Amino acid sequence: MTLRDRLARLDIAGAPYLFIAPFFILFGIFGLFPLGYTLWVSLHDWSLLAGDQGFVGLANYSELLGDDYFWNSLLNTFAIFLIATIPQILMALGLAQVLNTSLRAITFWRMGVVLPIVTSVAAVGIIFSMIFARDFGLANWLLSLVGVDPIAWNQERLPSWIAIATMVDWRWTGYNALILLAALQAVPKELYESARLDGAGAVRQWWSITIPMLRPTLVFVVTVATIGGIQLFTEPLLFNPGANAITGGELRQFQTSTMYLVEEAFTGQRFGYASTIAWALFIVIVLVSLINSVIVRRIRSVD
Amino acid sequence: MTTRRSRWLASAAALVAMTAFATACGSDDSASGSDDEEITLRVNLFGKFGYADLYKQYEDENPNITIVETAEGDLGAYNTQLQQRIAAGTGAGDIVAIEEGQAVNFLQAADQFVNLQDHGANDLKDQFLPWKFEGATTADGSTTIGLGTDVGGMAMCYRRDLFEEAGLPTDREQVAALWPTWDDYIATGEKYKAAMGDESAFMDSSTNTYNSILMQNAEYTYFDRDDTLVIDSNPAVKDAWDTAVAISDDGLTAKLKAFSPEWNAGFKNGDFATIACPAWMTGYIKDQSGEENAGNWDITTVPGGSGNWGGSWLAVPTQSEHQEEAIELIKFLTSADGQLAAFEAEGNLPSNPTLYDDPALQGATNEYFSDAPVGQIFVEGAAALEPVYLGAQNQPVRDAVENALRSVENGQRSSEEAWDTAVSDAEKAAQS
């Protein structure tokens, strides 16, 4: 074979890899490398400013297992995640159904539901902190109309969870609705027509056609919501404005795991320990995503 | 055919190379060189330093220099960011402010800052209170990372209009006579509460008062000079804690968290009548209360004598691309004239002792605070201020204690439970 032939062969075999290479190179730089480096740091006693203080093996991990504040933050994270995500997906499903009908000015409504994502999360945090303020907040004023005593939203555990979940839902429900809407529109109309001919009512159609056809999209939506929920940071941070915001309240009543991570890294200056928290969170996300997909897979599939 | 394909191959390779290059280098606009080159110096501060006029003056004298200031309101957020940027080696700016609680911490990473002793800092020693200069110098005396700006110096700010409403004296001499000690201050608070009820609280929060008391009677606070945790054995800490708890048990505070939006609004709304105000806070109070409260505020002496709370240094991180110019600028800003101008702008008490006899400082009054003689109030005893030693882990411990104190104030925990939490959090922070 001549050199030219060899090059031609390499060209045919190699070009596709070159074309897809940018993704993998970027993934390597911004995905794999940080992951590996974080693991490396988590095995060290590493001070933020003073740097590497020596290899400690799994000491950080065993400390983490006995760290009440970590478990507390994980409890908060999951509680807020559940309180936020379940209504969020249900509302998004409902919204998608409504948006799938022939409303007047349908594009306006469809664009409307994604508007909250465009708002800066800082603005959302500030507005909702005012709504849920103790002394002059809208939420307490509404409650007072029905005779309920004012609630110190950011001092008590359950109220603070609910308030933060509300922020999350306000921002992301429309986004999920739009994704589900796209999936809804991909469902062939003929299926509904033949179901109707067979005498299936609206509920039966929804349960036997819509949900199974939406299954892959639901898996996607739930997975993305899970990752977002476990990484929840800005909303609870902004819900505790002023000094010591990172502790998520005086008793850490709404400190999420990512907040605890940042607190350890930058207030406590324990970079190694913070990396350990980061890895623990990574493992948690993987586990929860697996559980999620098992659950969603169990949702009835198309017959 | 082959040529065409090779061209494809080449362009694909170029694409990959470009992507990698673009991501690796980002936007790198490094520049260095001649004197008349346009230089932008980024100054990274927190709170109020009062430098706006000084920047203008400096830019007029050095036409090639533009100064851009970014200032964070909340010290905690600022410190977090600054540590992040110093650790990352980028983004900190050309000049940064180091607050007293962080000095020991950043001295551990002294190699991240320009050693100002290599740039004539030793000749400037006499311009600063001796401990102020030492505060930003490593223990072996070889490296100085910052030049002093302001120092603490405490007073009590109060609302004349609210005092009048409550039937208390309004004249600052008479108000000072109300509270020689903190117990007297609490007694006055009870009178105020009896008169005003729920309409307005006597003070903003227990944490502010707690910090004032702590910084008044301590040579060191949570850590002794060997950096051993002494939170449980240092009587100064427990005294300040007990007084603060007594205050919140009496319901004398507005339960407002420092630097929160509610706290800010409280200045304007008259939610509280007094606030312990270190010199640097007067500018903040003026900003938050707004023009409509001009003349309503006044300043008098703090119970229990003077004390030292707050104060900063200006430093040049080694990551700055314009170190020479930045060093010149911090020398200008921390010079006697610079400190005096900052005092006149925002009330920050100079750390330059030669200024304490200066008529410009001695005779200074603050129009916003009912023409209070701020020069006299803050300078009195300023030369005698003692430094308070704060260990490297001061910030997490202080956060823990403040959180615990707030939980008592909010009725979330008993003071014993809260104190135990504060101590165990402090032990955790000290281990690392």
Side-chain angles (χ1 to χ4, degrees):
Chain A
M1 246 192 309
T2 64
L3 178 65
R4 171 168 289 210
D5 287 339
R6 275 174 203 274
L7 273 177
R9 181 159 300 180
L10 183 71
D11 188 356
I12 292 165
Y17 294 102
L18 267 179
F19 282 115
I20 55 165
F23 168 77
F24 287 96
I25 291 172
L26 291 180
F27 178 72
I29 294 172
F30 294 105
L32 276 183
F33 172 72
L35 205 63
Y37 193 65
T38 308
L39 183 63
W40 170 247
V41 173
S42 76
L43 300 175
H44 290 77
D45 177 10
W46 196 300
S47 156
L48 180 67
L49 287 175
D52 188 358
Q53 307 287 307
F55 186 82
V56 294
L58 293 174
N60 283 330
Y61 288 86
S62 63
E63 184 184 340
L64 189 72
L65 291 178
D67 185 347
D68 292 346
Y69 288 161
F70 174 70
W71 295 112
N72 169 66
S73 75
L74 214 53
L75 170 71
N76 291 337
T77 308
F78 274 95
I80 296 171
F81 162 66
L82 286 179
I83 295 175
T85 308
I86 295 172
Q88 185 184 152
I89 305 279
L90 293 178
M91 283 189 295
L93 262 174
L95 257 179
Q97 283 285 350
V98 174
L99 289 176
N100 199 25
T101 56
S102 42
L103 288 172
R104 204 173 287 195
I106 190 68
T107 315
F108 171 78
W109 297 114
R110 285 178 187 169
M111 292 316 292
V113 297
V114 279
L115 271 183
I117 312 170
V118 190
T119 3
S120 113
V121 65
V124 176
I126 290 164
I127 300 289
F128 275 77
S129 296
M130 284 160 85
I131 291 176
F132 290 107
R134 180 193 61 189
D135 294 333
F136 46 81
L138 182 67
N140 275 345
W141 177 73
L142 287 174
L143 286 178
S144 72
L145 294 182
V146 290
V148 178
D149 284 339
I151 296 172
W153 291 95
N154 58 12
Q155 285 173 21
E156 289 168 51
R157 189 153 237 181
L158 188 61
S160 66
W161 290 348
I162 293 173
I164 294 164
T166 316
M167 271 187 245
V168 176
D169 283 351
W170 185 79
R171 247 170 92 78
W172 294 106
T173 304
Y175 169 81
N176 287 328
L178 216 61
I179 292 176
L180 289 171
L181 172 66
L184 272 183
Q185 295 196 323
V187 180
K189 296 270 182 300
E190 298 78 22
L191 282 178
Y192 291 108
E193 280 165 17
S194 48
R196 229 172 286 140
L197 286 177
D198 290 344
V203 175
R204 182 67 207 254
Q205 284 180 34
W206 194 75
W207 199 240
S208 297
I209 301 174
T210 314
I211 290 295
M213 294 300 280
L214 282 185
R215 207 188 57 174
T217 315
L218 274 176
V219 176
F220 171 78
V221 165
V222 170
T223 307
V224 170
T226 308
I227 294 171
I230 295 174
Q231 294 179 338
L232 189 65
F233 178 77
T234 316
E235 285 90 347
L237 184 74
L238 292 169
F239 195 55
N240 187 27
N244 311 356
I246 201 72
T247 55
E250 293 76 20
L251 310 177
R252 300 172 186 267
Q253 60 268 39
F254 53 92
Q255 184 181 45
T256 60
S257 296
T258 43
M259 289 167 82
Y260 186 53
L261 188 163
V262 171
E263 188 197 352
E264 282 297 319
F266 298 112
T267 312
Q269 306 213 9
R270 304 182 64 198
F271 216 45
Y273 192 62
S275 301
T276 311
I277 301 174
W279 254 86
L281 280 183
F282 174 68
I283 294 165
V284 166
I285 290 179
V286 170
L287 282 179
V288 175
S289 299
L290 283 176
I291 296 170
N292 261 336
S293 66
V294 169
I295 293 175
V296 183
R297 221 171 284 260
R298 289 199 157 243
I299 295 176
R300 275 191 54 177
S301 51
V302 196
D303 290 328
Chain B
M1 206 51 200
T2 326
T3 14
R4 190 179 289 167
R5 217 180 271 137
S6 302
R7 209 176 287 147
W8 266 103
L9 187 65
S11 52
L15 180 76
V16 171
M18 268 169 61
T19 322
F21 182 77
T23 47
C25 303
S27 57
D28 191 2
D29 52 2
S30 59
S32 55
S34 66
D35 285 342
D36 7 45
E37 183 199 352
E38 287 295 319
I39 286 174
T40 302
L41 290 178
R42 289 194 301 118
V43 184
N44 201 359
L45 309 174
F46 62 92
K48 299 257 154 211
F49 277 70
Y51 286 160
D53 291 339
L54 288 169
Y55 294 150
K56 259 180 232 138
Q57 187 191 337
Y58 196 78
E59 285 172 340
D60 287 344
E61 287 163 15
N62 302 276
N64 63 323
I65 287 181
T66 314
I67 302 168
V68 181
E69 177 189 292
T70 46
E72 175 80 45
D74 171 35
L75 176 64
Y78 169 82
N79 280 334
T80 303
Q81 257 182 14
L82 181 58
Q83 287 174 31
Q84 244 164 319
R85 290 166 174 173
I86 294 292
T90 179
D94 300 297
I95 293 176
V96 299
I98 296 178
E99 197 259 350
E100 60 163 10
Q102 291 293 319
V104 180
N105 188 8
F106 282 118
L107 281 171
Q108 293 182 323
D111 57 334
Q112 299 286 335
F113 295 93
V114 172
N115 182 2
L116 297 169
Q117 290 188 15
D118 300 340
H119 301 272
N122 284 324
D123 303 334
L124 301 172
K125 249 183 185 170
D126 298 341
Q127 292 186 19
F128 301 96
L129 292 165
W131 55 267
K132 187 75 184 176
F133 190 83
E134 282 159 22
T137 304
T138 50
D140 63 0
S142 65
T143 309
T144 298
I145 64 171
L147 293 180
T149 59
D150 60 323
V151 289
M154 272 192 282
M156 185 66 79
C157 293
Y158 69 100
R159 286 280 293 260
R160 293 177 77 100
D161 54 334
L162 296 175
F163 267 47
E164 191 169 0
E165 225 181 304
L168 292 168
T170 56
D171 177 72
R172 66 182 76 89
E173 306 277 318
Q174 286 171 307
V175 172
L178 287 177
W179 52 58
T181 68
W182 286 102
D183 286 340
D184 299 324
Y185 174 75
I186 296 174
T188 311
E190 275 155 7
K191 276 184 216 153
Y192 182 87
K193 193 184 174 194
M196 300 292 271
D198 288 338
E199 195 187 325
S200 164
F202 187 55
M203 71 190 82
D204 62 322
S205 68
S206 54
T207 51
N208 247 340
T209 316
Y210 164 82
N211 281 318
S212 304
I213 303 171
L214 180 62
M215 299 305 266
Q216 238 171 7
N217 48 19
E219 186 206 333
Y220 50 84
T221 59
Y222 309 116
F223 294 90
D224 67 12
R225 283 175 188 274
D226 302 323
D227 258 342
T228 311
L229 183 73
V230 289
I231 181 172
D232 223 3
S233 57
N234 184 356
V237 177
K238 200 66 206 290
D239 283 355
W241 170 273
D242 288 341
T243 310
V245 166
I247 287 170
S248 64
D249 283 351
D250 271 358
L252 298 182
T253 77
K255 299 184 184 179
L256 296 171
K257 188 171 150 199
F259 298 101
S260 70
E262 286 94 344
W263 191 67
N264 292 340
F267 287 103
K268 210 171 230 142
N269 301 340
D271 287 345
F272 47 87
T274 66
I275 178 168
C277 55
W280 48 264
M281 204 190 269
T282 55
Y284 192 87
I285 295 174
K286 179 182 167 188
D287 247 32
Q288 295 300 333
S289 309
E291 270 317 302
E292 67 264 38
N293 282 313
N296 280 341
W297 283 99
D298 204 333
I299 308 177
T300 190
T301 54
V302 73
S306 189
N308 188 15
W309 176 16
S312 301
W313 293 264
L314 293 182
V316 178
T318 46
Q319 56 182 266
S320 162
E321 283 157 12
H322 308 292
Q323 292 177 14
E324 293 299 324
E325 292 81 2
I327 292 163
E328 286 312 307
L329 180 57
I330 66 169
K331 282 182 184 165
F332 170 78
L333 293 172
T334 58
S335 67
D337 289 345
Q339 293 198 18
L340 193 59
F343 172 78
E344 279 161 0
E346 295 293 347
N348 297 351
L349 182 62
S351 61
N352 184 331
T354 60
L355 287 172
Y356 296 158
D357 303 321
D358 194 314
L361 189 58
Q362 282 278 352
T365 57
N366 190 326
E367 200 188 335
Y368 188 83
F369 287 85
S370 312
D371 288 319
V374 279
Q376 261 174 29
I377 292 173
F378 286 113
V379 167
E380 196 176 326
L385 282 183
E386 289 292 327
V388 182
Y389 179 79
L390 304 169
Q393 289 294 332
N394 175 66
Q395 193 65 43
V397 176
R398 177 179 158 178
D399 286 353
V401 176
E402 286 186 358
N403 264 346
L405 202 50
R406 267 194 292 273
S407 71
V408 177
E409 194 175 0
N410 295 335
Q412 294 159 285
R413 272 197 183 162
S414 74
S415 83
E416 289 78 21
E417 277 177 307
W419 174 252
D420 289 345
T421 309
V423 172
S424 65
D425 281 4
E427 280 161 0
K428 187 168 178 262
Q431 271 170 17
S432 46

